[in-house]
Amino acid sequence: MEVKSVSNEKMTKVTCFVLVRVIPSLVRVTTNVHDTPLKLCREKPGFAAELAGEILGLPIPEHDEILPYSESGTDPEVRDLNADNVVVCRQGKANRLGIIVEVQREKDKRKLISWPAYQVNFRHRIQAPTVLIVVCPNPTVAAWAAEPIETGQPASAFRMQVLSPDNYPKLFENSESGALAERMVLGTLIHERSDDIRRLLVAAEAELAPLPEDKAKRYTEYMLGQLSEHPRTILEALMKQETYPYQSKLLADREARGEAKGRVEEATETLLELIETRGMRITENERRRIEDSGDLEQLRNWRKLAFTARSAADIFG
């Protein structure tokens, strides 16, 4: 069976999809930690099927292709249910399996209601069996997520398929082709508290080396964004060794972004000090406009105007 990723433009020809969603834990705020598994599934739609079939051992039906699928699980008569990423396995014209992937870092009782709803609504929409996988880096949260959810229907408790440090493999051996890149990157999130985190990061960085440079850089950025302070410090130290070409380019890009941010912050502070020195009153909205600008050229132009302006309002025209 050949598994291919296909762009959205070809969705009319598809034969295989998978559903993926990352849910904020307590408030609806998107974070790097929640984004990373979704980004990996967008980079490689078949990765969701790998999690379901090869990691969790779930039966994956025969299919021809794996494609992104619409994230909306909304029906006209129900509340909005929008997943972050969706994939479906299809054979011929028939949907065979849907897979929803979520990330949960904290306990949240609301998920006991929403999780069954996601599964039922997507199953109804694609008219095929649908499995919901929850990625839980925290073992305590994983144990909570694995508990059956009583739906009210006798003998029909709803259970999640949970990926956690207890059942997600630690991968130390490289494929030498980059084939395990997504698994290793996700593994650094799930096992970030492990004593083996340095070995996992070393292996992940080596696995990224055969990939195209831009993809290797993106995956490293995913790790830098998702990891807590201790493992992120280890990864930054590994990058500074510049073992692989993509690490050198990524370091240069990050340093350039840092320098640009520093120049903007300096220009912002200089402009505000000049306004204060000239004794001009500035409203909260005007201060916020300056602080939120982020445009170095605009800040410098405002500074020129501030030398002769009669009021702060004159600076902005």
Side-chain angles (χ1 to χ4, degrees):
M1 176 191 72
E2 181 181 1
V3 176
K4 300 186 294 184
S5 297
V6 183
S7 64
N8 288 332
E9 291 80 5
K10 297 182 180 178
M11 285 191 63
T12 56
K13 300 180 180 178
V14 260
T15 10
C16 179
F17 307 82
V18 184
L19 312 168
V20 182
R21 174 177 175 76
V22 168
I23 298 186
S25 55
L26 295 175
V27 293
R28 192 157 184 85
V29 177
T30 301
T31 64
N32 284 320
V33 169
H34 284 87
D35 278 347
T36 293
L38 301 178
K39 290 175 179 176
L40 295 175
C41 290
R42 288 171 185 148
E43 294 275 357
K44 182 183 179 182
F47 183 48
E50 291 180 25
L51 296 179
E54 299 184 34
I55 303 298
L56 287 169
L58 300 176
I60 304 296
E62 288 295 323
H63 56 276
D64 304 315
E65 298 173 312
I66 296 185
L67 302 175
Y69 189 67
S70 170
E71 290 84 3
S72 176
T74 304
D75 278 342
E77 298 179 359
V78 300
R79 292 179 296 177
D80 285 349
L81 293 172
N82 293 305
D84 295 319
N85 188 273
V86 178
V87 192
V88 176
C89 297
R90 184 187 278 179
Q91 187 173 39
K93 295 183 178 180
N95 293 334
R96 299 298 307 279
L97 178 70
I99 304 174
I100 304 170
V101 179
E102 297 195 332
V103 173
Q104 196 68 28
R105 298 182 70 86
E106 303 285 346
K107 294 181 181 180
D108 184 353
K109 291 182 179 180
R110 292 174 297 178
K111 300 300 182 288
L112 304 181
I113 301 298
S114 60
W115 279 338
Y118 295 137
Q119 192 272 346
V120 169
N121 277 276
F122 278 109
R123 177 174 174 267
H124 177 265
R125 181 174 180 182
I126 68 172
Q127 295 290 293
T130 299
V131 62
L132 197 156
I133 299 171
V134 183
V135 178
C136 297
N138 186 317
T140 302
V141 178
W144 167 80
E147 294 176 359
I149 298 174
E150 295 298 333
T151 63
Q153 184 72 10
S156 62
F158 186 84
R159 288 182 179 272
M160 302 294 111
Q161 294 294 319
V162 178
L163 287 174
S164 72
D166 290 335
N167 66 346
Y168 195 88
K170 293 180 179 179
L171 301 174
F172 301 112
E173 295 186 13
N174 299 107
S175 68
E176 299 184 359
S177 67
L180 297 176
E182 291 80 13
R183 295 195 199 188
M184 287 191 169
V185 171
L186 182 57
T188 63
L189 166 63
I190 293 178
H191 293 295
E192 68 171 356
R193 302 181 184 187
S194 168
D195 292 339
D196 293 318
I197 186 58
R198 189 180 191 284
R199 290 180 61 202
L200 291 168
L201 289 168
V202 169
E205 287 288 272
E207 186 68 16
L208 298 184
L211 299 180
E213 186 176 274
D214 61 339
K215 190 170 187 177
K217 286 169 55 183
R218 282 200 306 275
Y219 279 20
T220 302
E221 289 278 22
Y222 295 167
M223 288 189 286
L224 289 168
Q226 76 178 21
L227 294 170
S228 56
E229 183 178 358
H230 173 62
R232 185 173 63 249
T233 300
I234 295 174
L235 178 56
E236 289 172 343
L238 291 173
M239 289 172 57
K240 290 178 181 177
Q241 296 177 12
E242 300 186 22
T243 306
Y244 308 107
Y246 74 87
Q247 294 174 317
S248 303
K249 185 66 167 61
L250 179 56
L251 283 172
D253 291 347
R254 286 171 63 84
E255 289 174 2
R257 289 199 298 269
E259 291 173 1
K261 182 180 179 181
R263 289 195 294 270
V264 168
E265 291 175 349
E266 182 180 1
T268 299
E269 184 177 347
T270 300
L271 175 56
L272 290 172
E273 287 178 353
L274 177 58
I275 292 173
E276 182 180 350
T277 300
R278 294 205 57 220
M280 289 186 286
R281 296 182 61 181
I282 182 171
T283 67
E284 283 301 315
N285 286 338
E286 290 168 340
R287 178 180 292 275
R288 191 176 303 113
R289 185 174 178 183
I290 292 172
E291 292 175 342
D292 293 346
S293 168
D295 187 324
L296 183 59
E297 184 177 353
Q298 183 182 63
L299 289 166
R300 287 171 173 171
N301 288 336
W302 283 344
R303 182 171 178 271
K304 292 177 183 178
L305 294 172
F307 280 108
T308 57
R310 294 183 179 182
S311 68
D314 291 340
I315 297 174
F316 307 109

